[in-house]
Amino acid sequence: MGKLDGKVALITGGARGMGAVHARTLQAEGAIVVITDVLDDEGAAVAKELGITYLHHDVTDEKQWNSVITETEKLHGPIAILINNAGVVGFTPVADTDLDEWNRVLAINLTGPFLGIKTITPSMRKVGGGVIVNISSTAGMIGYSNLSAYVSSKWGLRGLTKAAALDLAADNIRVVSVHPGGVRTPMTAGIDTPENYKRQPIKRIGEPEEIAKLVLYLVADATYSTGTEFIADGGATVGQVLNV
Ligand SMILES: NC(=O)c1ccc[n+]([C@@H]2O[C@H](COP(=O)([O-])OP(=O)(O)OC[C@H]3O[C@@H](n4cnc5c(N)ncnc54)[C@H](O)[C@@H]3O)[C@@H](O)[C@H]2O)c1
């Protein structure tokens, strides 16, 4: 018996990186997993390997959210789990950040999860409730240089989590945010040097499986938690070591 037997789970940005590992982890516990992404070849390959469903889906598009949910319900029934995982990053000093780039990052990282929460709620009501996990970042807990749009989007997602948790509690829908530090995925290729991790208590990059185990706990076992943050960052946001 799995912890999630028969529960339908939708994971955005599931074609690679952490999303693909969340898919594998939830499926191993019996969930019926649907991954969505804009990378169709990679998404189809992951779906084929795991024997799950892949659907094309740009998270910034409300119409595509509606059709992904309709299609998922047609194939597998109402959805009980949403992992808002799709995200993008871009490194530019705030004064050099184009408005188009700002809007793109906010649209994918913050508006996307908002649309997901909004459009999936009727589906979750049909199964008596559900769990929504918003993948924020340590960039939703502190600031980082050259990442103003990303940091703003991830702080926004942390706030959206709290507001949505309050609105949806009566529907038995829990909403939580996850705040990974550096994790080995295509997103961190090139910045995963030991130098970037030597000041944190656990002096290494995280592995996607370490975040997926936390997501599984939140979905399956964290029945008394909603609206709150779960950090997995090797201690990066704990504080500063003082040399005295
Ligand atoms: N890797 C890290 O160190 C790290 C740390 C903290 C938080 N995160 C967050 O974790 C999540 C997963 O990131 P990852 O590291 O696996 O990166 P990744 O780049 O490997 O995966 C992100 C996925 O999102 C998809 N995506 C991008 N734009 C999309 C859109 N408009 N619609 C649908 N899908 C879209 C991409 O195609 C990709 O498959 C992101 O939200 C990211 O911000 C990552």
Side-chain angles (χ1 to χ4, degrees):
M1 274 264 299
K3 290 183 169 186
L4 302 173
D5 279 343
K7 288 190 189 291
V8 180
L10 183 65
I11 302 173
T12 67
R16 69 180 196 191
M18 277 189 263
V21 180
H22 298 328
R24 186 185 302 276
T25 304
L26 299 195
Q27 191 210 25
E29 289 294 337
I32 300 163
V33 176
V34 175
I35 55 169
T36 74
D37 210 295
V38 290
L39 298 177
D40 293 335
D41 291 347
E42 290 91 331
V46 171
K48 190 171 173 204
E49 184 201 335
L50 299 181
I52 60 176
T53 304
Y54 169 74
L55 299 173
H56 178 86
H57 177 206
D58 179 343
V59 295
T60 66
D61 185 329
E62 188 168 15
K63 282 201 189 96
Q64 290 189 34
W65 269 106
N66 283 319
S67 45
V68 157
I69 289 162
T70 303
E71 184 64 15
T72 300
E73 287 196 340
K74 211 188 295 169
L75 290 170
H76 305 299
I79 303 161
I81 298 162
L82 170 65
I83 314 296
N84 272 319
N85 166 78
V88 288
V89 72
F91 295 92
T92 333
V94 64
D96 299 332
T97 300
D98 293 338
L99 180 57
D100 284 352
E101 175 61 2
W102 170 273
N103 285 337
R104 185 182 81 92
V105 173
L106 270 287
I108 296 170
N109 294 2
L110 181 56
T111 307
F114 155 69
L115 290 173
I117 294 167
K118 179 185 168 186
T119 53
I120 216 157
T121 296
S123 194
M124 290 188 168
R125 284 179 177 144
K126 290 180 200 166
V127 280
V131 187
I132 298 171
V133 179
N134 292 323
I135 306 298
S136 177
S137 167
T138 48
M141 303 301 300
I142 60 172
Y144 288 93
S145 57
N146 299 309
L147 278 176
S148 55
Y150 187 76
V151 165
S152 303
S153 71
K154 294 300 189 180
W155 275 78
L157 186 52
R158 179 180 166 200
L160 171 63
T161 301
K162 294 184 185 301
L166 292 168
D167 285 351
L168 298 176
D171 292 301
N172 195 31
I173 297 172
R174 294 187 292 110
V175 191
V176 292
S177 60
V178 167
H179 301 261
V183 178
R184 196 188 314 277
T185 71
M187 186 179 275
T188 51
I191 54 167
D192 54 353
T193 58
E195 178 70 19
N196 280 333
Y197 297 94
K198 74 177 189 197
R199 273 179 228 91
Q200 65 186 45
I202 301 173
K203 299 184 190 312
R204 63 170 175 83
I205 193 167
E207 299 299 335
E209 290 74 14
E210 296 179 284
I211 309 303
K213 279 188 266 184
L214 174 57
V215 168
L216 173 62
Y217 163 73
L218 293 175
V219 167
D221 293 323
T223 48
Y224 199 44
S225 295
T226 194
T228 195
E229 301 89 350
F230 292 82
I231 302 173
D233 68 346
T237 55
V238 166
Q240 288 189 349
V241 176
L242 297 178
N243 292 314
V244 290

